[in-house]
Amino acid sequence: MTISGTFAIAGAYEHPTRWAPDKTEMQIIGESARGALQDAGLGIEDVDGLFSTSMAGGGMGIVNVAEYLDLKPSYMDGTNIGGSSFVAHVSHAGAAIAGGLCEVALIVYGSTSASDARAIGTGMGMGRDPHTAFTSPYGQTVVSSYAMSARRHMHEYGTRPEQLAEIAVAMRHHASLNPHAKMRKPIGVEDVLGSRLIADPLHLLDCCIISDGGGALVVTSLERARDLQRPPVRVLGSGEAVWHQEIGSPKLLEIAARESGERALGMAGLHHGDIDLCTIYDSFTITVLLTLENLGFCKPGEGGDFVSGGRIALGGALPVNPDGGGLSSNHPGMRGIFLVIEAVQQLRGECGERQVEGARTAVVHGTGGILSAAHSGATLVLAAE
Amino acid sequence: MSSEIEYKDPVVDWETRAYWEACARHELTVQRCGACGKVQHRPRAICASCLSGEVETLVASGRGTVHTFTIVRQNQVPPFASACPYVLAYVDLEEGPRLLTNIVDCEPDSVAVGMPVQVEFVDTGEFAVPRFRPA
């Protein structure tokens, strides 16, 4: 048995806020749930599966979300594997639906990271416990961890800072076409290279922004989705993987996407050439480059050339993150849900100026955690009907 | 002008105490499985390859090479904020395991992938924290 093609995304909504000092996280969750259910043409009373997690909510967070929405779902899943969590929630929902454990799943996220002034990239990672005792003395930050992957890539393959910068430039171009994006002023490679170094070789503009925001998805069986008001976006493939540095010394440049991507494309029975666009977690420019290589869109070491010359921009060979991604549109800390929302809206052909023409298939990949250490990967293959 | 990172006593538990006690003696240790021979770091009560409980502690040479590194120029958390810029690195030990550490006693710009390094220890009170300098 496979869940491939048995379920679909029937509703999607990205909260337009990027700065919400006047809202709570629960309020953003509630408004996002309302948006996605309205999009699907369903009501909160139809929801019997709930999927949510957050950086702030703790282990019981999903119970608090259920309480806020006055929901008593028959199935709930608070899986937290980092920023990729909401990508994984989609396939978890599909499995639960196929198994008869729920029928209409609501996946929801909300965060006020920016207005709470959470310094995600350069102000965390200071645990005082036996596990983090091996890393916290040394001043590891999220940015510096990804920077070490970038340095190693440059060492092994001769990748250049200006090639990484091309990724930031493409994302900003996309954001300039997205009225909700936080950073919309176009930039060039020289702007990225001229911005200050945060952790060599990553500059300020190689790093994602921090914003507030939220979003929601409605997932149901393909059969039910066909009766609803929006064109269903089918989930043809999914895969998850985890990767870490422990015990041996795994290759730093092989990341979880290598396994999760192979699983997802294998389940979908599709090849790279069949894919019209990608949405990829762009915490940093290097994340996009390593993800494209590990998903197999190019060979290891070829990522620098692959992302250059506008090839991942709209109109290029493989458009990535037409919304502007976390580098320019929004990044409240766990961006996975926006990857799915943008892919859904692209496959429904409703993205206006930033629409990838004729998009029928998309690969979505979320990375959670620390790329050069313990991290997760979750991949989806989505298709228009 | 940047200052040195101030290391604090690590928080230890039953599985990691022997490692940090060895650090206090200025010995860097890794574990080797008595059943399957795999060498591992960080310390734990079982071999993560075969789940055997026969893990032995072995004193490492303290020599290694830089696998990758970065020069951290922004960290908002004290005590690191005043220590920027500092070098964060993964070092491959001669015995196999890779560990996260700082590289000190050299200009940050002089650090390179593949550079041979040698462990040194900073006493923190009850224990000590290992870091590396050019060999």
Side-chain angles (χ1 to χ4, degrees):
Chain A
M1 166 190 177
T2 175
I3 59 170
S4 174
T6 64
F7 64 109
I9 298 164
Y13 177 78
E14 183 186 285
H15 201 294
T17 192
R18 300 295 186 268
W19 175 245
D22 56 340
K23 291 182 194 295
T24 67
E25 296 196 337
M26 281 299 181
Q27 181 181 357
I28 295 174
I29 282 172
E31 290 171 359
S32 297
R34 182 175 65 207
L37 287 163
Q38 274 175 355
D39 185 54
L42 291 169
I44 189 74
E45 67 280 1
D46 295 306
V47 174
D48 60 358
L50 180 63
F51 298 71
S52 189
T53 189
S54 75
M55 292 173 78
M60 287 274 285
I62 193 164
V63 173
N64 300 332
V65 173
E67 182 192 45
Y68 186 86
L69 298 173
D70 192 22
L71 266 180
K72 292 180 175 129
S74 60
Y75 192 86
M76 68 195 109
D77 181 341
T79 298
N80 185 345
I81 54 171
S84 55
S85 299
F86 304 96
V87 181
H89 289 173
V90 173
S91 53
H92 294 190
I97 291 161
L101 301 174
C102 64
E103 202 176 329
V104 175
L106 173 68
I107 302 170
V108 66
Y109 171 59
S111 167
T112 50
S113 283
S115 50
D116 293 347
R118 285 183 209 145
I120 299 166
T122 61
M124 295 163 80
M126 269 298 291
R128 290 282 292 160
D129 59 69
H131 185 72
T132 55
F134 292 86
T135 53
S136 61
Y138 304 112
Q140 182 185 31
T141 60
V142 178
V143 185
S144 61
S145 306
Y146 283 75
M148 288 195 288
S149 292
R151 170 82 62 193
R152 185 71 198 180
H153 204 277
M154 290 175 174
H155 172 79
E156 282 192 34
Y157 300 119
T159 305
R160 301 186 306 276
E162 50 267 41
Q163 292 176 315
L164 293 179
E166 291 247 16
I167 298 166
V169 170
M171 295 309 111
R172 184 62 64 87
H173 169 60
H174 294 164
S176 76
L177 306 173
N178 177 0
H180 297 306
K182 183 165 179 173
M183 307 291 275
R184 301 190 63 203
K185 188 178 157 210
I187 53 172
V189 166
E190 65 286 357
D191 295 310
V192 181
L193 300 182
S195 64
R196 71 178 192 275
L197 284 162
I198 304 296
D200 307 31
L202 298 181
H203 305 79
L204 178 68
L205 295 180
D206 284 299
C207 305
C208 63
I209 59 171
I210 299 174
S211 73
D212 296 333
L217 296 160
V218 177
V219 178
T220 189
S221 65
L222 179 61
E223 202 181 348
R224 176 124 188 223
R226 281 177 172 150
D227 290 337
L228 298 175
Q229 65 186 21
R230 308 293 294 146
V233 169
R234 291 179 301 157
V235 183
L236 298 185
S238 67
E240 290 170 37
V242 68
W243 205 248
H244 47 74
Q245 278 285 315
E246 294 289 286
I247 310 304
S249 298
K251 291 180 180 169
L252 205 67
L253 304 179
E254 283 183 10
I255 65 170
R258 188 183 167 97
E259 291 179 346
S260 65
E262 194 175 311
R263 285 168 188 150
L265 281 163
M267 186 194 290
L270 291 179
H271 301 285
H272 298 92
D274 301 325
I275 304 303
D276 297 325
L277 78 128
C278 285
T279 56
I280 290 175
Y281 205 129
D282 57 338
S283 45
F284 303 95
T285 50
I286 183 65
T287 322
V288 176
L289 189 147
L290 277 173
T291 302
L292 286 166
E293 289 183 357
N294 279 272
L295 288 175
F297 284 98
C298 59
K299 290 190 178 136
E302 292 180 354
D305 286 335
F306 190 86
V307 301
S308 295
R311 296 188 76 254
I312 62 166
L314 282 164
L318 183 72
V320 174
N321 299 346
D323 61 336
L327 286 163
S328 286
S329 178
N330 57 351
H331 188 277
M334 299 178 81
R335 192 165 195 278
I337 201 156
F338 306 122
L339 303 172
V340 185
I341 293 169
E342 175 67 6
V344 167
Q345 292 177 341
Q346 287 285 341
L347 295 175
R348 298 195 312 208
E350 56 197 35
C351 290
E353 271 195 280
R354 69 173 196 273
Q355 179 64 43
V356 175
E357 252 180 75
R360 303 286 300 165
T361 53
V363 162
V364 176
H365 182 82
T367 296
I370 302 294
L371 201 65
S372 65
H375 69 273
S376 69
T379 312
L380 296 173
V381 180
L382 305 182
E385 269 233 281
Chain B
M1 186 63 201
S2 65
S3 56
E4 286 237 330
I5 291 175
E6 276 180 50
Y7 301 98
K8 293 184 183 127
D9 255 338
V11 177
V12 309
D13 63 11
W14 188 89
E15 285 186 288
T16 61
R17 174 167 286 279
Y19 176 87
W20 294 111
E21 284 177 347
C23 285
R25 299 190 300 270
H26 291 196
E27 289 174 352
L28 184 67
T29 57
V30 293
Q31 289 181 320
R32 184 170 53 204
C33 177
C36 77
K38 274 277 171 67
V39 176
Q40 68 184 14
H41 175 80
R42 339 165 166 182
R44 61 201 77 195
I46 56 147
C47 167
S49 292
C50 73
L51 301 187
S52 162
E54 294 173 46
V55 283
E56 306 156 355
T57 295
L58 138 105
V59 178
S61 70
R63 289 188 295 271
T65 55
V66 174
H67 185 78
T68 186
F69 72 98
T70 181
I71 304 170
V72 181
R73 296 175 191 274
Q74 182 175 325
N75 185 339
Q76 303 189 33
V77 181
F80 304 108
S82 58
C84 290
Y86 58 88
V87 177
L88 182 75
Y90 277 118
V91 165
D92 288 328
L93 300 179
E94 280 186 342
E95 292 77 10
R98 180 178 301 157
L99 48 80
L100 188 76
T101 191
N102 296 127
I103 309 292
V104 296
D105 282 354
C106 60
E107 285 300 317
D109 287 333
S110 70
V111 177
V113 174
M115 187 170 96
V117 289
Q118 173 70 45
V119 75
E120 66 174 38
F121 292 87
V122 182
D123 293 322
T124 52
E126 190 179 357
F127 303 107
V129 170
R131 63 182 187 182
F132 287 74
R133 57 180 152 76

